[in-house]
Amino acid sequence: MKFNPNCKKPNTCEECTDRCIKNIAFLYGLPEEKQIDILRHSTHKTLRRGDFVFHEGDSVESIVIIKQGQVKLSTYEADGRENIIGIFADNDTIWEGVFSAASSYPYSAVCLTKTYCCYIRRADVESAISDPKVALKVIHMLSNKLHDANERSRILSISEPVKRVAAFLIYREKRSNEPYFTLRLDDIAGSVGLRAETVSRNVRKLVSDGLIEKVGRSGFRIPDFERLNSFISE
């Protein structure tokens, strides 16, 4: 059964999806009865663009699965400047802090598009990881998260703005399941620590040089990864 955003029973995950658990690597593969029990307690929410999935400082009570849509994680400086921690899209999972006692979110999550979320209760997750096999999968996922964080740090360390923008676009394209991905210039700027005007200027240069392609108003596609990687390495 495919995901149905028009489902009339938003609190019964089993009715809306071929099991949201399959998108949480360390939970998929649990015994059938355990999966059913977890899904029975899960909930779905439909959120509009601009809605918050959670606010900075909120208690971490569940794993959040982005079934469809885009969500950005952000913090704000005292002067109001936004720092984007990450952008999550279809089937991505937000689960940081769920294993820490009395944990709260260090950032806010806001929807960039209309978004459908599934929430898996923290208590159910804690019960599941008592299985040693599940615990090993958690370690594997933590390693992947660390690798991803290191990749974002590498991008921010690139001194030339045009190459930093190019590296970030490669990073986003690799995480996309679509032929192209959509991002506003402001969101790219917040992700790479540059002004929106600087990002706009360098995006135009990359398009002019044939290294990236624009799709519509805010869509991007990379026609040749090897060529763009070579440009960044120059």
Side-chain angles (χ1 to χ4, degrees):
M1 189 188 307
K2 298 299 182 183
F3 174 64
N4 176 16
N6 299 311
C7 177
K8 302 302 182 182
K9 299 180 179 179
N11 292 323
T12 51
C13 184
E14 295 157 291
E15 297 293 331
C16 298
T17 175
D18 53 343
R19 304 230 169 149
C20 294
I21 281 178
K22 77 174 186 177
N23 297 306
I24 308 177
F26 62 86
L27 292 183
Y28 192 59
L30 285 174
E32 181 85 4
E33 64 275 10
K34 188 65 177 179
Q35 289 193 37
I36 292 173
D37 187 54
I38 290 176
L39 292 174
R40 188 175 292 123
H41 292 113
S42 66
T43 58
H44 276 169
K45 286 185 181 179
T46 300
L47 303 170
R48 299 167 299 178
R49 177 178 176 179
D51 284 351
F52 282 82
V53 180
F54 51 79
H55 291 83
E56 183 177 348
D58 285 352
S59 175
V60 179
E61 300 294 344
S62 60
I63 283 179
V64 182
I65 305 168
I66 311 302
K67 293 302 298 176
Q68 287 182 9
Q70 281 191 324
V71 172
K72 66 177 176 180
L73 308 184
S74 301
T75 61
Y76 294 87
E77 303 289 349
D79 61 2
R81 183 164 53 92
E82 181 183 33
N83 294 317
I84 298 178
I85 309 301
I87 296 175
F88 289 70
D90 295 3
N91 295 321
D92 279 338
T93 303
I94 305 172
W95 57 280
E96 288 84 352
V98 76
F99 302 122
S100 303
S103 179
S104 60
Y105 291 108
Y107 38 65
S108 295
V110 63
C111 298
L112 297 175
T113 64
K114 185 175 183 179
T115 302
Y116 306 99
C117 295
C118 175
Y119 298 78
I120 305 293
R121 293 194 320 171
R122 175 183 189 151
D124 292 322
V125 176
E126 289 176 342
S127 174
I129 62 172
S130 61
D131 183 327
K133 292 182 180 178
V134 175
L136 283 174
K137 291 181 180 179
V138 170
I139 293 172
H140 179 70
M141 283 191 70
L142 287 170
S143 297
N144 287 339
K145 286 287 184 181
L146 179 59
H147 174 77
D148 186 68
N150 288 338
E151 176 63 13
R152 294 198 304 269
S153 294
R154 183 193 68 80
I155 292 170
L156 291 174
S157 72
I158 298 173
S159 59
E160 290 185 56
V162 66
K163 293 184 178 182
R164 189 187 304 180
V165 171
F168 177 73
L169 294 179
I170 287 178
Y171 169 79
R172 283 304 312 163
E173 172 108 343
K174 286 181 177 178
R175 291 173 59 87
S176 174
N177 296 318
E178 304 297 330
Y180 65 92
F181 63 96
T182 302
L183 275 181
R184 298 184 311 156
L185 291 178
D186 284 347
D187 293 324
I188 297 174
S191 298
V192 297
L194 297 171
R195 295 172 60 86
E197 295 85 352
T198 302
V199 170
S200 178
R201 183 171 61 253
N202 286 293
V203 163
R204 289 197 301 270
K205 174 176 172 50
L206 292 169
V207 171
S208 175
D209 292 345
L211 294 169
I212 66 171
E213 295 176 354
K214 284 295 298 294
V215 182
R217 260 185 95 178
S218 54
F220 298 91
R221 191 178 77 84
I222 299 173
D224 189 335
F225 276 92
E226 185 174 344
R227 185 180 172 211
L228 188 55
N229 270 317
S230 296
F231 165 73
I232 295 169
S233 302
E234 289 174 354

